[in-house]
Amino acid sequence: MRVEIWSDIACPWCYVGKARFEKALAAFPHRDEVEVVHRSFELDPGRPKGDVQPVITMLTRKYGMSQAQAQAGEDNLGAQAAAEGLDYRTRDRDHGNTFDMHRLLHFAKEHGRQDALIQILYRANFAEERSVFTEGDERLVELAVEAGLDAGQVRKVLADPDAYADEVRADEREAAELGANGVPFFVLDRTYGVSGAQPAEVFTQALTQAWGERSPLKLVTQGDQGDGTACGPDGCAVPQQG
């Protein structure tokens, strides 16, 4: 079974939701047969790469809330994260464009390091003092190397603005086609969708239901002729003359 997760590194509920989903997945009896793929979704796709501002400022301007309301929201998110065993800085974080991070996540997928990288990027953005937005490409190189990727190859990806750009945009178009207008958004076997950072119990229910309703393979035969001639481990069947 495949679970696709649309998310953004700048999305705190994606950070929390990933932890809740993984709690459910860890207890799922068929967890070793579940493939998890991370898909791209930018919360702020129009923001220029160099436009970085404090999270509180971004929240007040984008949503029209007061600084007190924005800070209360951050404090609540910090409590929600702590309940999942996650570190979360409720003060002095910043916000910026995440397109390059999404490009790197597609590169990491090709090398089997996608989940490692997204978790490191989440930690760096939400829990560490150093910014993932203001230190240039070398900060992303450092984090990608921590995830097991080659520094030289990572620099090449970051230096080429077209590298994996089509893959990011394709993910975002697909999210729109699926009706996802916010993240996190979880899609199980292209049959069930879970929107938001739901409790682990909801993910458990979704995994169980999606697994139980997988359709077995149905063979098409011609009348009563049974299976057609085929080759197998014991050789190839030879039709007998009547």
Side-chain angles (χ1 to χ4, degrees), residues 145-179:
V145 168
E146 184 181 343
L149 296 168
D150 178 78
Q153 292 181 328
V154 171
R155 289 190 182 97
K156 287 182 180 179
V157 172
L158 291 172
D160 179 3
D162 293 327
Y164 300 96
D166 288 345
E167 287 83 348
V168 175
R169 297 307 184 207
D171 277 359
E172 293 175 335
R173 286 194 301 271
E174 198 164 12
E177 291 167 2
L178 290 170

Side-chain angles (χ1 to χ4, degrees), residues 3 5 7 13-29 31 34-38 84-86 114-120 122 186 196-204 207:
V3 178
I5 307 174
S7 59
W13 287 117
C14 297
Y15 180 47
V16 173
K18 183 176 186 292
R20 291 175 177 173
F21 168 75
E22 288 176 346
K23 183 182 294 184
L25 183 61
F28 186 56
R31 60 186 177 277
V34 177
E35 176 191 13
V36 178
V37 178
H38 297 282
E84 304 302 330
L86 301 172
Q114 189 185 49
D115 191 72
L117 180 58
I118 197 169
Q119 191 60 38
I120 288 169
Y122 278 143
F186 301 77
Q198 300 288 346
E201 293 78 11
V202 173
F203 290 117
T204 297
L207 287 166

Side-chain angles (χ1 to χ4, degrees), residues 5-11 14-15 18 36-42 97-123 125-126 132 140-141 143-145 147-149 153-154 157-158 163-169 171-172:
I5 307 174
W6 272 264
S7 59
D8 191 9
I9 301 303
C11 164
C14 297
Y15 180 47
K18 183 176 186 292
V36 178
V37 178
H38 297 282
R39 301 292 191 191
S40 299
F41 189 107
E42 295 171 278
N97 182 286
T98 58
F99 188 63
D100 284 347
M101 297 180 210
H102 286 293
R103 294 197 299 117
L104 282 182
L105 285 166
H106 278 279
F107 168 71
K109 181 176 182 293
E110 290 186 352
H111 295 270
R113 307 303 301 164
Q114 189 185 49
D115 191 72
L117 180 58
I118 197 169
Q119 191 60 38
I120 288 169
L121 290 172
Y122 278 143
R123 184 205 69 208
N125 185 42
F126 292 110
V132 295
L140 296 183
V141 172
L143 295 170
V145 168
L149 296 168
Q153 292 181 328
V154 171
V157 172
L158 291 172
Y164 300 96
D166 288 345
E167 287 83 348
V168 175
R169 297 307 184 207
D171 277 359
E172 293 175 335

